[in-house]
Amino acid sequence: MRLALFDLDGTLVDRSAAFADAVTDLVHDHAYGPEIERWLRTELADTAGREDFVRLRDVFGLDEDPGHLWRVYVDRMASAVTCRPAVLDSLARLREAGWSIGVATNGASDVQRAKVRATGLAELIDGIAASGDIDVRKPDPRLFELAAARCGTQLTAGDWMTGDNPETDIAGGTAAGLRAIWVRGRPWPEGLTARHHAVDDVTEAVDHLLAHSLE
């Protein structure tokens, strides 16, 4: 069985829009001012974890328990995050074609898994490895290896990684021995290892995988 690994944020789901909505809701629910909102949007822009809310409490002298604020944030993210029906349909076609599907993502385990459950992705993937699981982040090959293990297999020649981040997803996947598909969006850094294929949308990446299923 062939293995296809995917990044989560910015590839399978729209984290940016969900993040904006989650922060707005959290700030509104707790009657925080614009200074705290700016801090959250800046400090949590790329990734968020429970420790960030400990820092939030310390910086602003808040009374709320950081663990409570983190749980609120996770719930708000799960409520706001979306995965387009076309993406879900593409993954269903990939499964029907006999592929095993995994997710390799940087981020806290609870929030990443909440996104997967909330968007319907949980029914279509065989395993997920989040950097919070083992405190190792892409591009470290160990996260890709863990994703394969969570799918009940191991990395082999001919497996693929698809993502939007050139350094973590494409260079990292290539270093782990995977073929890599870049979902365009971020600038491609000069001198970085070339990707095997590039697309404008993750659904095109699935089409490419299906076309090369017999290779």
Side-chain angles (χ1 to χ4, degrees), residues 167-181:
E167 289 95 348
T168 61
D169 297 323
I170 307 308
T174 300
L178 298 164
R179 300 183 187 184
I181 302 177

Side-chain angles (χ1 to χ4, degrees), residues 32-144:
Y32 292 149
E35 188 176 3
I36 289 180
E37 182 170 1
R38 285 193 296 270
W39 190 94
L40 289 168
R41 292 187 184 279
T42 299
E43 298 298 319
L44 278 60
D46 293 325
T47 186
R50 187 183 302 268
E51 67 279 359
D52 293 311
F53 290 88
V54 175
R55 293 194 297 118
L56 176 68
R57 178 201 60 190
D58 295 344
V59 169
F60 293 98
L62 302 179
D63 293 329
E64 287 87 357
D65 173 50
H68 164 73
L69 292 176
W70 169 244
R71 290 190 295 274
V72 170
Y73 174 79
V74 171
D75 289 343
R76 295 294 182 270
M77 283 293 289
S79 297
V81 73
T82 60
C83 179
R84 292 179 290 121
V87 175
L88 297 174
D89 290 344
S90 290
L91 295 179
R93 289 193 294 118
L94 196 60
R95 283 182 64 89
E96 290 170 2
W99 286 71
S100 182
I101 301 173
V103 169
T105 175
N106 285 343
S109 301
D110 39 5
V111 71
Q112 300 303 75
R113 284 177 167 76
K115 294 174 192 173
V116 166
R117 291 192 299 270
T119 54
L121 285 167
E123 300 174 5
L124 296 169
I125 66 172
D126 298 292
I128 175 174
S131 61
D133 293 341
I134 54 174
D135 199 26
V136 165
R137 296 175 60 83
K138 294 180 295 184
D140 193 310
R142 288 176 291 176
L143 194 64
F144 301 99

Side-chain angles (χ1 to χ4, degrees), residues 131-212:
S131 61
D133 293 341
I134 54 174
D135 199 26
V136 165
R137 296 175 60 83
K138 294 180 295 184
D140 193 310
R142 288 176 291 176
L143 194 64
F144 301 99
E145 293 167 357
L146 178 61
R150 292 277 168 82
C151 293
T153 186
Q154 58 185 4
L155 300 182
T156 59
D159 292 339
W160 290 81
M161 173 66 195
T162 298
D164 69 310
N165 190 304
E167 289 95 348
T168 61
D169 297 323
I170 307 308
T174 300
L178 298 164
R179 300 183 187 184
I181 302 177
W182 178 45
V183 180
R184 297 185 187 96
R186 301 172 186 246
W188 187 267
E190 185 177 353
L192 193 67
T193 301
R195 64 276 183 187
H196 292 89
H197 190 63
V199 296
D200 293 317
D201 189 272
V202 68
T203 58
E204 298 173 24
V206 173
D207 289 340
H208 183 79
L209 294 175
L210 289 170
H212 292 77

